[in-house]
């Protein structure tokens, strides 16, 4: 097997295109590592901050503000800051707050007796998306509060008509008003929530760097299958097998050579990063890149055995890579894909490469052993499949195009 690898190394030394591709992959890895090192970690702080100016200071307004401030579901997305008017407005002007609410004096009493003292809401227009979302959210709450007001006044009138004591009318009206308002505010309890993890926190610059890196790795693996196809077409494999060399030995030799020429420099750069001579990288990501590249090399070696003609091989390879990139969130980031397109994207290796890479990138977790075992099993099946296909096609006359 070593002699086969030395022979391929000599061929590589004469093929400048392959070396250019390998250098391009390493350059993209270095660029991606530089972006990784300069990136700020994803912040756990809520993306929307709301200031509250409470001039009412009533029990109701205090309860309402504390509800939003302490609600676990709401606080995942919005941070609430209560303060004085001058302080909140200054922070809003400085861009620290996305919006602020001003609760006027007598707001609670006006809600109960329908005297229509509105709450003032000021939304920043710096981020149009956030402004639209916040506006729609406030309009939604406005409809709930309006429904509360209608029910409160209906209750108040009915109790008046029944000649109930005024103290009882007021106390019951306030109590039921609180219940209705907090039922409306707590409407997330009407739904079952499903946590959906996504690749938030990845800048577009880094996103497309990973995508270009994926394409370069895929096309580098195409050379491996093309190399095997040309050797088979030129009769080299037939002479090797006649001399007792197994096709699996040839496949493993090419696999080891391509994987080694990619893995050795990458692991060297990782070691330099640990020594402080290069930006530090995530070991889990590097292991995943090596596993992906090794699997891809075997896939194209299998295609190089399955397909007879070089034009057909190049056509199929380009369709798999380019079409896979188009549907697999390579052009449009997966965060912006509609749900229907995301389901289609899951059929593409491009999607899973990006998804797993970004998950490892953000969480800095170790690759599960079962995942590594599954990839190793897939590699073994590809080697066996290549051997079976070659045995069935052995002796077939092929035409050069």
């Amino acid at each position: 097997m070593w002699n086969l690898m030395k022979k391929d190394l000599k061929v590589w030394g004469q093929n400048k295109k392959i070396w250019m591709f390998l250098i391009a992959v390493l350059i993209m890895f270095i660029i991606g590592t530089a972006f990784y090192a300069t990136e700020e970690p994803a912040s756990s702080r809520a993306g929307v901050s709301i200031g509250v100016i409470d001039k009412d200071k009533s029990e109701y307004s205090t309860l309402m503000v504390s509800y939003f401030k302490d609600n676990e579901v709401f606080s995942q997305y919005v941070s609430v800051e209560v303060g004085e008017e001058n302080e909140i407005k200054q922070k809003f002007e400085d861009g620290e707050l996305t919006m602020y609410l001003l609760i006027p004096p007598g707001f609670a009493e006006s809600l109960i007796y329908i005297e229509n003292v509105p709450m003032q809401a000021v939304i920043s227009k710096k981020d149009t998306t956030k402004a639209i979302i916040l506006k729609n959210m406030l309009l939604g709450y406005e409809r709930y509060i309006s429904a509360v007001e209608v029910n409160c006044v209906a209750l108040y009138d009915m109790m008046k008509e029944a000649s109930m004591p005024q103290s009882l009318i007021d106390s019951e009206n306030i109590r039921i008003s609180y219940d209705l308002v907090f039922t409306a505010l707590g409407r997330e309890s009407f739904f079952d929530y499903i946590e959906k993890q996504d690749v938030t926190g990845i800048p577009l610059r880094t996103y497309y760097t990973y995508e270009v890196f994926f394409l370069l790795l895929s096309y580098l693996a195409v050379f491996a299958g093309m190399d095997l196809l040309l050797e088979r077409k030129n009769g080299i494999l037939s002479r090797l097998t006649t001399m007792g060399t197994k096709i699996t030995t040839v496949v493993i030799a090419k696999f080891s050579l391509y994987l080694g020429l990619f893995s050795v420099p990458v692991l060297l750069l990782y070691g330099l990063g640990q020594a402080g001579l290069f930006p530090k990288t995530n070991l889990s990501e590097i292991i995943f890149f090596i596993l992906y590249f090794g699997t891809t090399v075997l896939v194209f070696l299998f295609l190089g055995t399955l397909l007879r003609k070089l034009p057909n091989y190049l056509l199929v390879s380009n369709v798999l890579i380019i079409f896979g990139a188009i549907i697999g969130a390579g052009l449009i980031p997966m965060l912006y894909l509609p749900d229907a397109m995301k389901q289609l994207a899951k059929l593409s290796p491009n999607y899973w490469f990006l998804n797993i890479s970004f998950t490892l990138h953000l969480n800095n977790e170790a690759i599960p052993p079962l995942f590594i075992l599954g990839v190793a099993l897939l590699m073994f099946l590809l080697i066996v499949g290549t051997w079976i296909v070659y045995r069935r096609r052995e002796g077939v006359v092929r035409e050069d195009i």
Side-chain angles (χ1 to χ4, degrees):
M1 187 172 71
W2 175 242
N3 290 329
L4 293 174
M5 293 176 66
K6 287 197 296 184
K7 183 267 297 180
D8 286 335
L9 275 174
K10 290 181 180 179
V11 174
W12 267 57
Q14 299 171 357
N15 195 329
K16 296 180 180 179
K17 293 181 180 179
I18 297 180
W19 282 109
M20 289 173 63
F21 246 92
L22 183 60
I23 293 172
V25 171
L26 290 176
I27 290 173
M28 288 306 302
F29 179 80
I30 294 171
I31 293 174
T33 304
F35 287 166
Y36 180 93
T38 57
E39 254 181 42
E40 295 182 359
S43 174
S44 59
R45 188 174 181 272
V48 176
S49 53
I50 299 178
V52 178
I53 305 168
D54 186 5
K55 290 189 174 183
D56 189 17
K57 304 294 184 181
S58 65
E59 180 185 4
Y60 170 77
S61 64
T62 304
L63 282 173
M64 184 178 68
V65 172
S66 65
Y67 171 84
F68 285 112
K69 199 170 183 180
D70 301 332
N71 184 284
E72 293 183 2
V73 176
F74 191 80
S75 60
Q76 289 180 7
Y77 310 100
V78 178
S79 62
V80 179
E81 183 176 344
V82 183
E84 298 299 323
E85 184 173 2
N86 292 336
E87 176 190 2
I88 294 298
K89 287 186 175 180
Q90 184 62 45
K91 288 187 176 181
F92 177 78
E93 292 175 0
D94 293 341
E96 297 179 23
L97 298 174
T98 312
M99 68 170 288
Y100 71 84
L101 299 173
L102 194 152
I103 303 175
F107 176 76
E109 187 177 355
S110 69
L111 178 64
I112 295 171
Y113 296 105
I114 304 193
E115 295 176 358
N116 193 24
V117 178
M119 180 190 297
Q120 183 182 3
V122 180
I123 305 174
S124 172
K125 294 183 179 179
K126 290 182 179 179
D127 191 324
T128 309
T129 303
K130 289 182 181 179
I132 293 173
I133 292 174
L134 289 171
K135 180 180 178 180
N136 289 331
M137 182 191 74
L138 292 174
L139 290 175
Y141 277 111
E142 181 185 19
R143 288 192 290 271
Y144 278 98
I145 300 301
S146 298
V148 170
E149 288 181 337
V150 171
N151 285 278
C152 285
V153 75
L155 173 66
Y156 188 87
D157 291 342
M158 290 179 65
M159 295 179 75
K160 276 281 191 181
E161 291 177 4
S163 301
M164 293 183 179
Q166 186 64 40
S167 59
L168 178 62
I169 294 175
D170 291 341
S171 62
E172 287 300 309
N173 194 28
I174 291 173
R175 182 182 66 81
I176 294 174
S177 297
Y178 286 166
D179 289 342
L180 288 173
V181 168
F182 285 105
T183 299
L185 294 177
R187 66 184 188 274
E188 76 274 356
S189 60
F190 300 155
F191 304 93
D192 291 329
Y193 282 81
I194 299 175
E195 183 179 359
K196 183 177 181 181
Q197 296 181 349
D198 219 328
V199 290
T200 54
I202 296 292
L204 287 179
R205 178 185 64 180
T206 305
Y207 186 95
Y208 286 114
T209 301
Y210 274 82
E211 175 60 25
V212 173
F213 187 59
F214 164 82
L215 293 174
L216 288 174
L217 283 181
S218 300
Y219 274 109
L220 184 59
V222 169
F223 280 107
M226 185 172 64
D227 187 16
L228 184 67
L229 187 148
L230 291 174
E231 288 187 356
R232 191 191 64 178
K233 188 175 65 172
N234 294 330
I236 297 175
L237 293 186
S238 298
R239 290 193 290 272
L240 288 173
T241 53
T242 302
M243 295 171 62
T245 304
K246 297 180 179 179
I247 186 62
T248 52
T249 305
V250 178
V251 170
I252 293 174
K254 291 189 180 299
F255 165 77
S256 302
L257 176 67
Y258 278 80
L259 190 63
L261 287 172
F262 169 71
S263 302
V264 170
V266 169
L267 290 173
L268 179 61
L269 291 175
Y270 171 77
L272 292 175
Q274 296 301 110
L277 303 175
F278 188 77
K280 286 188 176 182
T281 52
N282 187 336
L283 180 59
S284 297
E285 281 188 82
I286 291 178
I287 293 174
F288 171 69
F289 293 153
I290 293 172
L291 291 174
Y292 166 78
F293 182 65
T295 306
T296 309
V297 167
L298 288 174
V299 168
F300 285 108
L301 286 173
F302 176 79
L303 285 177
T305 308
L306 181 65
L307 301 174
R308 300 180 181 181
K309 300 177 182 178
L310 182 59
N312 294 343
Y313 171 82
L314 294 176
L315 176 62
V316 172
S317 301
N318 280 283
V319 167
L320 288 175
I321 296 173
I322 297 176
F323 185 71
I326 292 173
I327 68 169
L331 297 180
I332 302 175
M334 58 183 72
L335 291 174
Y336 303 106
L337 287 178
D339 289 337
M341 285 296 295
K342 283 186 179 179
Q343 296 302 319
L344 181 62
K346 291 179 180 179
L347 301 175
S348 168
N350 196 119
Y351 174 88
W352 293 109
F353 176 87
L354 294 176
N355 194 54
I356 296 174
S357 296
F358 294 148
T359 301
L360 296 173
H361 177 83
L362 292 175
N363 300 329
N364 197 19
E365 297 177 352
I367 299 178
L370 285 178
F371 178 83
I372 298 176
L373 183 62
V375 173
L377 179 60
L378 177 59
M379 289 181 178
F380 174 75
L381 292 176
L382 286 169
I383 293 173
V384 173
T386 304
W387 174 77
I388 293 173
V389 170
Y390 179 79
R391 294 289 296 178
R392 289 191 175 184
R393 292 182 177 275
E394 191 176 9
V396 176
V397 178
R398 305 172 184 85
E399 294 180 359
D400 292 341
I401 298 298

